[in-house]
Amino acid sequence: MGNAQSPSINDPRYVSATRAFTQKELEDMRSLFNHLAVQSQTNAKCISPSVFQSYFGLRGPLGERMFDVVTQERKDQRLTFEDLVVAKATYEKGTKDEIEEFIFRLLDVSGDNFVTRSDLETVMIAIFNNILCIKDSQDRSSSHEDIINIFLNAAKFSMHNEGGTEETMSLEDFRNWCTHLPSVKKLLGSLLLPPGSGRPGSQIPKLLTSTAIDSNIILLRKEYAWLIGGALSQHDLEDWNLLYHSSVNGLSFNTFLGNISNHAGPTVLIIKDQEGYIYGGYASQPWERHSDFYGDLKCYLFQLNPVASLFRPTGANNNLQWCAINFSSEDIPNGIGFGGRVNHFGLFLSANFDQGHTFSCTTFGSPCLSKTNRILPEVIECWGVTQVATQDKHDTVKGTVLERFKEDRNMLKMVGLANSSE
C-alpha cells in the first residue's frame, strides 16, 4: 500500500473524479486546497497532515487515518489537489457501496487491514471527545467508557485475524452496525466537510429541563440523544423538552397524558426497568385515544443500554403506535405501545404504568428490548421534539387528551379509575 502513487492531472482516476463535480465545485475545492497548502509551508504544492487535521477537526488517530486514506496510504505526508478530488469524488459523490467501503477503510485506524473492536473504540472516543465534544461527567452513574461500550456492543465481528488475538469486522458486519446506528454512519460519511458547516450526524438536540430537576435522574444522556436522532431530519434535532419524568411526576398514566397533551409534535418515550435495561420508542404522532394501531413510518424503537440499537419500520405491517384510554374490552388493552400485535407488542406499558411487555416484532424487526418479556418500569421519561418547520401547528391543537375526550374522563371517574395509576 505504501507504494501507491499520487494521482496526476492526466491520471484516469483524477479525470474520472472531476466529472463528479461542477466547475464551480472544482474551483471552490481548488481555493480550499490553495488556502491549506499555503499554511502547510510546502510552497503551496500540497497539504501537510497537521494542517489537514486542524482544518477538518480530525486530530488524533482518526485524523491520521483519514489523511492516510485520502492519500492512498503513500506515507509521504503530502496531500495533493488530485488526492483531494479523487477522495471526495468517492467519499461524497460515489455510490452507496463506494461510500461504505471508504468509511470501512477509515475505521481501520491501526492500518493493519483489519477492523477490530479496538479500532471501533478509538473511533467512538474520537467522535464523542473531539467531534461532538461530549465530555465525561463524574456525576453520572454510567461512565464515558460505559457509554462507548454500549455502542460497540451492537457490533458483530464475524471474521478472525490469522495470528491475531481479536475477532475482526467484515464489510457486511459494518453495514449491519450502521443500520442500527445511523448517526454513526451519517457522521463518518461527512468528515471531509469542515466543522461548523452543518455536518450531517454532528447535531445533538438541546435537552431542556426544569432547573429544579436533578440532572442525575435524567435517563436521556447526550450520547443517547445523538443515537436516537440518527433517524431524524435536521429540523427535528433542535430542542427536546422534558414533558414527563416518573421520579418527579409519579408513575401515573393520567399525569403522563396531561403533561404531554399540549405538545402537538413527536415525542421520545424512554423506559428504565428493574433489570437496569434502558429502551424506548420515537412516536411520530401525538398520544391520542384510538381503538387500533395508528401512526406512520417515522415511528421506531430503540435500545440504549446495555446495547445501543435503533429499529426502524420494516414495512411488514402498519402496527406502529398504540394509545388506548378507558376501553372495557379485553381486545383493546389500555396503555401505550409500539409495534407487534395486541397483547404481543414490540413495546407496551399498561395504563397503570406499573407493568408492560416487550416481544420481538416484525413491525420494526426488533428483538425483545429487555432481559425478559415482562417489563417492570423503574423510570419513565417522555421528551417533546420541537419541529422547527412546524412550530405554528402547536396553536391548532388545544386542550389535554382527557379534555378532548370528556366522556372518557367522566367514565374513568365513575368506575374509580381516574386516579388508579397515581
Side-chain angles (χ1 to χ4, degrees), residues 288-289 325 400-409:
E288 297 177 334
R289 183 183 190 268
I325 304 171
T400 67
V401 172
L402 293 181
E403 287 172 342
R404 291 197 294 273
F405 300 101
K406 291 183 178 180
E407 293 182 1
D408 298 323
R409 181 182 61 177

Side-chain angles (χ1 to χ4, degrees), residues 31-48 50-52 54-55:
S31 296
L32 171 62
F33 175 82
N34 290 341
H35 174 69
L36 298 181
V38 168
Q39 297 180 46
S40 299
Q41 299 179 345
T42 59
N43 295 322
K45 292 182 179 180
C46 61
I47 301 173
S48 68
S50 60
V51 170
F52 172 86
S54 178
Y55 177 78

Side-chain angles (χ1 to χ4, degrees), residues 64-97:
E64 294 169 4
R65 180 58 184 167
M66 177 63 90
F67 189 87
D68 280 347
V69 172
V70 172
T71 58
Q72 300 296 311
E73 300 186 64
R74 290 192 308 274
K75 308 297 184 182
D76 62 3
Q77 309 297 295
R78 296 167 61 87
L79 191 158
T80 66
F81 177 68
E82 290 76 21
D83 285 328
L84 187 62
V85 173
V86 171
K88 287 176 76 71
T90 302
Y91 182 53
E92 298 174 359
K93 303 283 189 174
T95 65
K96 178 177 179 290
D97 286 346

Side-chain angles (χ1 to χ4, degrees), residues 156-193:
K156 293 183 179 179
F157 302 88
S158 63
M159 299 174 62
H160 290 82
N161 175 9
E162 293 184 8
T165 58
E166 285 191 275
E167 294 181 328
T168 65
M169 174 180 273
S170 68
L171 180 58
E172 192 56 37
D173 291 335
F174 163 70
R175 287 171 171 154
N176 183 65
W177 188 54
C178 287
T179 297
H180 295 299
L181 299 174
S183 50
V184 171
K185 183 178 178 180
K186 276 186 181 181
L187 184 55
L188 291 178
S190 65
L191 296 181
L192 286 184
L193 295 175

Side-chain angles (χ1 to χ4, degrees), residues 17-37:
T18 59
R19 299 192 185 106
F21 302 98
T22 65
Q23 189 59 40
K24 177 65 166 57
E25 288 174 327
L26 286 171
E27 291 173 358
D28 289 344
M29 216 180 308
R30 172 61 78 175
S31 296
L32 171 62
F33 175 82
N34 290 341
H35 174 69
L36 298 181

